Amino acid sequence: MSSIIAWFKTLDSPFARIAIRLFGAALPLFNGRMLTYMSTEAILQAAVQRGDLCFLPLQVPSDAVSRRLLLHPEIVSALARGLEIPRMFQLQGELEDYVLGRHMTLAFEPRHHKKARLGLLEPEADGIWDIRCRHHSPGIRVLGRFFEPDCFVALEWRPRSVAIEGFDKVPLSEPRSGDEWEFAIVEVIQRWDKILPGAGYITGVTHSDFVTENSSRAGA
Amino acid sequence: MISSQKTAVELALESQGPIPKGVLAYLSARARGRWFDYVHNKLTEAENEGLTRKALAERIGKSPTRLSHILGNPGNWTIDTVSELLIGIAAEEVIPNSDPLLGHPPRNHRPEDDFLTHKFSKSKSSATARTLELNLN
């Protein structure tokens, strides 16, 4: 199934994008995974214990945590290269803002995120957000879902428009058709289904459904 | 359990040598996040007292769209941005103040500790997350 999805990714057509989404959604079924009941918190706990997710490591040990941010190990590895690639250390600081409870602005209108720190991506029903780290070029997007209010699970990261030396991550704006956005979203869905099988994600209509305190709707 | 392993920022600040560019970039991002938070808290207070975004935009000579853009993300904020917003929002000026990053005691609790003791339920954990050294088993 994964190889079929990979083949579709080589195509450049609307049909391929639809097929990627359909096959991606069906992946857990074809993996033959048996879903047994676990509490949502136990699912998260198991993922951390397996090493499939890690808490964002903070750089200042005296900082107090207000929100939970769990990262795919690939993101942790990228952040760990901050001394070698300064942009990644800057990203660390931007992600810590979320964890430390600082003000978050959320945009709910896909493609109109320019003002926000967090933006809901299309299709909205997938519940995928990007944390928008915009200081200087290259901008970076960290994609994931809210597992519960104040608990974001980040599963994929991409440069926004310019590649970052030292990483083979394709920027989201390339190639021209915007397929990379689709690929990144599918990656999030697949990783979620693999790491957090059976777990739901938060949907909502107001900023406080996702970030309960010290948040606002972008553009308000 | 608390690891005594120091972070890259701690090591850089404790050393007498050049501070790596990445650490400087991290600390700048951190400062912008703090200012963004501070200004938004001031803005919320002022809005509760009746200030509107439109009035604020007029007061500091920005279009409402531009103001909305500025207030959305601290990515491009400078000291001028902070100064203009604070003056417009609360007639306050930026006063120099700073705090040492080193020398504070570490938090003795981490989010993953809650997993072990089954305390998590949408908690506002007063914890720190030095979790590169995850050791849950």
Side-chain angles (χ1 to χ4, degrees), chain A:
Chain A
M1 179 62 71
S2 296
S3 60
I4 293 173
I5 292 172
W7 181 74
F8 274 120
K9 284 183 177 179
T10 65
L11 303 178
D12 180 18
S13 74
F15 168 74
R17 286 198 292 275
I18 294 168
I20 288 167
R21 183 169 296 283
L22 291 175
F23 277 103
L27 193 59
L29 302 176
F30 284 84
N31 283 346
R33 181 178 292 127
M34 287 286 288
L35 296 180
T36 54
Y37 176 77
M38 294 174 77
S39 74
T40 54
E41 202 59 38
I43 292 171
L44 198 62
Q45 179 181 355
V48 172
Q49 289 181 327
R50 286 194 309 270
D52 288 338
L53 293 175
C54 307
F55 285 97
L56 176 69
L58 300 188
Q59 286 292 325
V60 178
S62 56
D63 281 339
V65 172
S66 294
R67 305 179 186 125
R68 289 192 289 175
L69 176 59
L70 291 113
L71 307 174
H72 189 274
E74 184 191 48
I75 303 174
V76 177
S77 298
L79 292 173
R81 296 177 65 187
L83 288 176
E84 171 196 351
I85 303 170
R87 182 65 184 93
M88 303 314 292
F89 227 136
Q90 197 172 50
L91 175 62
Q92 164 86 25
E94 291 166 299
L95 294 178
E96 284 188 11
D97 274 350
Y98 173 83
V99 175
L100 301 182
R102 294 190 180 137
H103 193 86
M104 289 288 128
T105 50
L106 289 80
F108 289 79
E109 298 80 25
R111 300 176 191 273
H112 294 86
H113 294 163
K114 204 167 183 180
K115 303 163 182 169
R117 304 191 85 178
L118 279 154
L120 179 61
L121 302 178
E122 278 184 316
E124 294 97 315
D126 281 344
I128 297 174
W129 293 75
D130 65 340
I131 299 177
R132 311 177 71 255
C133 305
R134 298 177 53 231
H135 185 68
H136 290 321
S137 181
I140 293 175
R141 301 291 183 266
V142 177
L143 286 76
R145 281 171 165 162
F146 282 92
F147 183 82
E148 62 179 21
D150 302 322
C151 178
F152 191 79
V153 177
L155 296 169
E156 170 71 319
W157 76 276
R158 293 290 194 98
R160 174 62 183 86
S161 51
V162 179
I164 298 177
E165 197 175 337
F167 294 101
D168 59 0
K169 288 283 189 182
V170 179
L172 288 165
S173 60
E174 295 176 0
R176 67 220 172 276
S177 59
D179 285 348
E180 287 303 325
W181 277 106
E182 191 71 22
F183 297 156
I185 287 169
V186 169
E187 189 70 41
V188 171
I189 293 170
Q190 290 179 354
R191 285 180 171 174
W192 182 279
D193 290 340
K194 182 180 176 191
I195 294 171
L196 301 166
Y201 49 88
I202 294 289
T203 57
V205 292
T206 71
H207 57 87
S208 57
D209 291 332
F210 299 90
V211 181
T212 58
E213 294 177 10
N214 204 14
S215 65
S216 59
R217 191 179 186 111

Side-chain angles (χ1 to χ4, degrees), chain B residues 42-100:
Chain B
K42 286 286 180 185
L43 180 60
T44 301
E45 288 174 17
E47 286 180 329
N48 290 339
E49 304 276 318
L51 179 70
T52 64
R53 301 275 173 117
K54 185 168 179 286
L56 174 60
E58 285 175 6
R59 198 164 160 77
I60 61 174
K62 312 274 187 204
S63 70
T65 303
R66 178 69 188 138
L67 177 66
S68 178
H69 197 147
I70 291 169
L71 289 172
N73 196 308
N76 294 317
W77 278 31
T78 65
I79 191 69
D80 290 354
T81 314
V82 176
S83 176
E84 288 177 6
L85 287 171
L86 282 179
I87 289 167
I89 292 168
E92 291 184 3
E93 67 173 331
V94 179
I95 295 174
N97 189 19
S98 57
D99 194 40

Side-chain angles (χ1 to χ4, degrees), chain B residues 3-15:
Chain B
S3 166
S4 60
Q5 189 175 337
K6 293 193 173 179
T7 67
V9 168
E10 287 180 290
L11 291 171
L13 296 181
E14 285 176 0
S15 82

